Structures are given as structure tokens and as C-alpha cells.
Amino acid sequence: MGKINPNLSLEFRGPVVIAALTDEKILDEDQLQGLEGSFLPLIEQTPQIQLIIDFSNVKFLTSSVLGLLIRISKRVSEADGTLRLCSIGPKILDVFRITRLDKIFEIMSDVDDAMVGLKK
Amino acid sequence: MTETQHILHKSWQLKSAEREVKKVSAEVLKTLEDHDFGEDMVFAVHLSLEEAFVNAIKHGNHGDPRKKILVECLITPEKIDISITDEGFGFDPHGVPDPRCNGNLYKSCGRGVLLIQSYMDVVEYNGRGNCVHMVKYRNGEKIPTPEKKCS
């Protein structure tokens, strides 16, 4: 498990990258820029990336984070990769449901569930 | 006639910078927690406050650091009442595209107004459209998500 910025913790399980968001609250512009600055090079440097973003620690986020996830999703798609989100708590899941983003993201219950069907 | 009990009645004049909203949210959210308004209500108010403040900076004041944002808050035992006013020309809230429709789903912005409408019990704008007034009741039933409007 390694950290590439203070807001993100990375684990590599074979070719699968598990990126755990470490902050309880994600709302600052600095946090968002830090995350974007970590995710985008990671996607560019990993051909056909299989990326799981783990929300276990996240208790609060704003719509700016949803925007970041859309941008990440586009980059992953352009790179012929796979993106899954997991371990999203009920309050945050409500935000995805209200905005209908639960229809465009693959949202799994936990990391093990998110690993199912990925190339190992 | 009984006088309404004010738990918090305060206003803040803030700079057009995202970090400024912390001055409000720290005090408002702690007051709600201290008076047992519950986790769901604290979450709803926090999200709506952040979204409305960011809208005031970006779409109201267009990031102009010379322009201010006025936040007024009243908390009583029954409800929280927040108004956020920017110095912009205002906008038509009915003209905001529904972020749940077709191509809008894949846009990276435009979800703040929908979230505020979903989490607060009352959301209204002044005639000019530069002031949003939001109310959340302690025992208010969560309103259903606004009906999707796709053209």
C-alpha cells in the first residue's frame, strides 16, 4: 500500500489498482486538484487500467467530486480501461441516486465485490 | 403570543473564495449537532450550504475577489433558515438544465441546484435571482427528488 498524495492511498493487486480516498470530507479545491493530479497521470501511465476507487473513509462530498469522477471516468474509457466505485456509504449513495450517477458508474458493495470479473 | 426562540441568529459577509464558507459551516453545523438535529439534517444542510456558496462564487460573482457574499442564518428549535446573496446579476433557476437528462449526465458540473432542491424543504430565489433562501425543518419529511425535466 503506498500513498501518492495525502488524500489517496494506492494498493496494487496484480494489474488492478485500488485507490482509497483517505479523507472523510472532500470539499476543498486543493483536495480536488490533488486528487485529479494523482488520478490522471496514473490512468495515462497504466495501459487499460482496471481502477477501483474505494470510498470506505468518505463521509461527505460535494458535487465537485462528482465532476471529478466524471472526468476520471472519461479518461479511463479513452484508455480502454475499467472503473468501479465501491464501499459508498448510504448518505453518499443518496447523492449518486439523486443525480442518477448510479446509472452510469459501476458501484459495488466492497473491494472484493469490485474485483469480481477483473483480469488478475 | 410566544416569542420564537433563536438558537443562532447571525450573518456573515464573506469574500468570494471557497475556503470562506468554512467560517459559516463550522459554527452552523456545530450548533445543529449540539441541539440534536440529527446526522441526516446536518449532512443536508452542509451539502446545501457548500453548493449554494460555490454557486454564488462561480455563477453569481464570477470569481471576482472584490465581490462579497452575504450569508444569513437563523436556527430555531424547529428549523434552520439560510439565505445566501451574491453581488451578481442573478439567474433564472428554471433555466438551469436538468443534470439527469441524456448528455447532461456526463457533464462534470451543473448538479448543485438539483442537490439543494433535493435536500432542503424550501428553496426559493428573489426576483433578481442573486439570493437563494433555503429552509430545512427538524421534523420535515424529506421531499421527493424533483421530477426530471428533459426536453
Side-chain angles (χ1 to χ4, degrees):
Chain A
M1 183 86 75
K3 283 192 173 185
I4 55 175
N5 91 27
N7 312 117
L8 195 63
S9 177
L10 291 182
E11 180 187 353
F12 296 88
R13 287 196 199 171
V16 180
V17 182
I18 301 164
L21 303 171
T22 54
D23 287 327
E24 269 199 15
K25 296 179 182 178
I26 311 175
L27 37 83
D28 286 355
E29 195 63 31
D30 290 347
Q31 283 173 297
L32 284 167
Q33 283 176 2
L35 288 172
E36 187 147 16
S38 300
F39 272 116
L40 298 188
L42 178 69
I43 295 163
E44 279 167 21
Q45 291 159 16
T46 316
Q48 295 183 310
I49 189 169
Q50 298 181 97
L51 175 62
I52 297 171
I53 302 181
D54 180 355
F55 281 75
S56 309
N57 300 312
V58 181
K59 303 282 188 288
F60 182 85
L61 52 72
T62 65
S63 65
S64 301
V65 181
L66 303 179
L68 172 62
L69 291 172
I70 298 270
R71 292 194 292 279
I72 290 171
S73 168
K74 282 180 182 165
R75 292 295 185 92
V76 169
S77 177
E78 286 163 8
D80 285 329
T82 304
L83 172 66
R84 291 179 174 172
L85 315 181
C86 74
S87 309
I88 301 179
K91 286 193 182 65
I92 306 288
L93 203 49
D94 268 347
V95 176
F96 280 83
R97 287 192 181 122
I98 289 166
T99 54
R100 303 278 167 100
L101 291 182
D102 60 328
K103 306 293 182 204
I104 67 169
F105 286 109
E106 281 193 85
I107 298 177
M108 323 302 278
S109 57
D110 54 32
V111 170
D112 289 341
D113 188 23
M115 291 287 292
V116 174
L118 296 181
K119 290 177 204 155
K120 291 174 189 166
Chain B
M1 199 165 106
T2 56
E3 197 175 314
T4 306
Q5 186 192 341
H6 293 172
I7 295 171
L8 180 73
H9 192 192
K10 190 167 175 177
S11 61
W12 296 259
Q13 194 173 42
L14 303 169
K15 295 176 193 162
S16 290
E18 287 188 30
R19 62 183 176 280
E20 288 281 289
V21 73
K22 284 183 182 171
K23 293 176 183 172
V24 180
S25 60
E27 185 166 358
V28 167
L29 301 178
K30 183 170 189 318
T31 304
L32 293 176
E33 284 165 359
D34 289 349
H35 290 80
D36 300 321
F37 276 87
E39 276 182 27
D40 288 350
M41 182 146 173
V42 172
F43 184 92
V45 170
H46 191 185
L47 185 58
S48 302
L49 187 56
E50 292 275 350
E51 298 292 345
F53 195 80
V54 167
N55 282 349
I57 295 171
K58 290 187 176 171
H59 306 300
N61 290 348
H62 295 287
D64 185 341
R66 294 166 299 178
K67 291 186 175 173
K68 303 284 188 202
I69 295 167
L70 177 66
V71 181
E72 297 163 284
C73 177
L74 171 65
I75 301 176
T76 70
E78 292 81 31
K79 65 170 184 174
I80 177 165
D81 194 310
I82 306 173
S83 291
I84 299 182
T85 309
D86 60 60
E87 294 188 59
F89 295 110
F91 81 114
D92 174 11
H94 303 295
V96 177
D98 192 321
R100 299 164 296 181
C101 294
N102 308 321
N104 295 345
L105 257 184
Y106 298 91
K107 289 185 178 167
S108 61
C109 57
R111 296 178 176 84
V113 170
L114 170 67
L115 288 171
I116 294 167
Q117 286 173 340
S118 303
Y119 279 96
M120 299 302 275
D121 294 325
V122 176
V123 182
E124 50 196 15
Y125 297 84
N126 66 349
R128 178 172 154 184
N130 72 327
C131 174
V132 59
H133 172 226
M134 310 178 285
V135 182
K136 181 90 179 161
Y137 294 99
R138 182 192 284 270
N139 297 317
E141 286 184 21
K142 187 172 165 54
I143 54 169
T145 302
E147 196 180 327
K148 198 160 90 166
K149 287 181 237 163
C150 301
S151 52

